[in-house]
Amino acid sequence: GQSLEQPSEVTAVEGAIVQINCTYQTSGFYGLSWYQQHDGGAPTFLSYNALDGLEETGRFSSFLSRSDSYGYLLLQELQMKDSASYFCAVPGGAGTALIFGKGTTLSVSS
Amino acid sequence: KAGVTQTPRYLIKTRGQQVTLSCSPISGHRSVSWYQQTPGQGLQFLFEYFSETQRNKGNFPGRFSGRQFSNSRSEMNVSTLELGDSALYLCASGTGTENTEAFFGQGTRLTVV
């Protein structure tokens, strides 16, 4: 089977940096994705790592280590609007079939 | 470019009934997947359709079924509804040929009473 583990909750203050870790066990591995979901909203894509290393997109970065079956999402210069749930996910193939972690709820306070 | 459209947005059904949910993907996308989201279980994959064929299937009972039409629109059906089927059902579309981004609709909130 496939499983992904991530912390259930993280809290931080505005302007801080937070790292959300994700470890995975999969039978086949294509890469690691991250999605953000605000309360009542649809999940939206943040990043995808197919290869080891760091991918940076503005305030958000994502890292992957295939040898350690581990990745993380790094959020810098936190803003109140970053309060949301963050999910790591692994694709099951070339399409939209994704296995998600249970999600990490990030609460940003002022 | 229009996003992924799911209808209806909200639905209330009685135990034992059946329900059909609809998803219109982004134009040009051939892959459509369905997910069930509940507070306890998170986002769980139901199935994926690509070019009218089911390509991947999650671990759900046979009461959950789907199909995809030639225009890539997809429907999901749940028969003999149970209270535990109450959830947000999300649909996602993508090109189906690369492991990059899935675009999600706003979901259908199903309540079974």
Side-chain angles (χ1 to χ4, degrees):
Chain A
Q2 302 185 83
S3 67
L4 297 94
E5 297 289 330
Q6 54 181 125
S8 58
E9 289 183 33
V10 174
T11 59
V13 297
E14 275 187 303
I17 299 172
V18 74
Q19 179 174 313
I20 300 173
N21 299 321
C22 175
T23 56
Y24 58 86
Q25 282 187 309
T26 60
S27 51
F29 185 75
Y30 298 89
L32 187 69
S33 298
W34 288 92
Y35 285 79
Q36 177 193 61
Q37 185 180 30
H38 286 98
D39 265 352
T44 56
F45 173 82
L46 291 176
S47 68
Y48 174 70
N49 294 66
L51 303 173
D52 285 0
L54 190 69
E55 296 273 348
E56 297 180 67
T57 310
R59 295 186 297 113
F60 294 1
S61 303
S62 56
F63 172 83
L64 176 66
S65 169
R66 295 171 70 117
S67 60
D68 295 321
S69 297
Y70 163 76
Y72 66 72
L73 180 69
L74 190 74
L75 300 89
Q76 303 181 73
E77 300 171 24
L78 282 173
Q79 302 174 12
M80 298 289 284
K81 67 178 181 180
D82 298 327
S83 293
S85 291
Y86 293 84
F87 297 87
C88 58
V90 291
T96 53
L98 295 162
I99 305 302
F100 283 89
K102 289 280 176 75
T104 299
T105 301
L106 170 64
S107 299
V108 181
S109 59
S110 56
Chain B
K1 192 173 183 181
V4 178
T5 304
Q6 291 188 245
T7 57
R9 289 294 311 278
Y10 302 92
L11 208 47
I12 299 175
K13 289 287 189 178
T14 305
R15 261 185 312 176
Q17 287 187 313
Q18 66 98 26
V19 68
T20 299
L21 312 182
S22 179
C23 173
S24 293
I26 291 171
S27 177
H29 284 183
R30 292 159 63 194
S31 169
V32 174
S33 285
W34 288 89
Y35 296 84
Q36 181 194 67
Q37 186 171 29
T38 58
Q41 297 299 318
L43 273 158
Q44 296 190 87
F45 171 70
L46 282 153
F47 28 67
E48 181 204 11
Y49 286 87
F50 180 77
S51 294
E52 301 180 66
T53 302
Q54 187 179 88
R55 184 159 71 170
N56 286 290
K57 188 176 189 304
N59 189 26
F60 276 80
R63 299 186 297 108
F64 292 81
S65 63
R67 59 179 175 167
Q68 187 179 36
F69 302 95
S70 58
N71 62 357
S72 292
R73 190 177 71 84
S74 177
E75 288 183 347
M76 190 192 105
N77 185 275
V78 188
S79 62
T80 320
L81 283 165
E82 300 176 0
L83 296 179
D85 297 333
S86 295
L88 179 67
Y89 290 88
L90 292 158
C91 144
S93 81
T95 61
T97 56
E98 49 198 31
N99 305 111
T100 52
E101 183 172 356
F103 297 81
F104 283 81
Q106 292 294 316
T108 294
R109 173 73 63 184
L110 172 65
T111 302
V112 182
V113 296

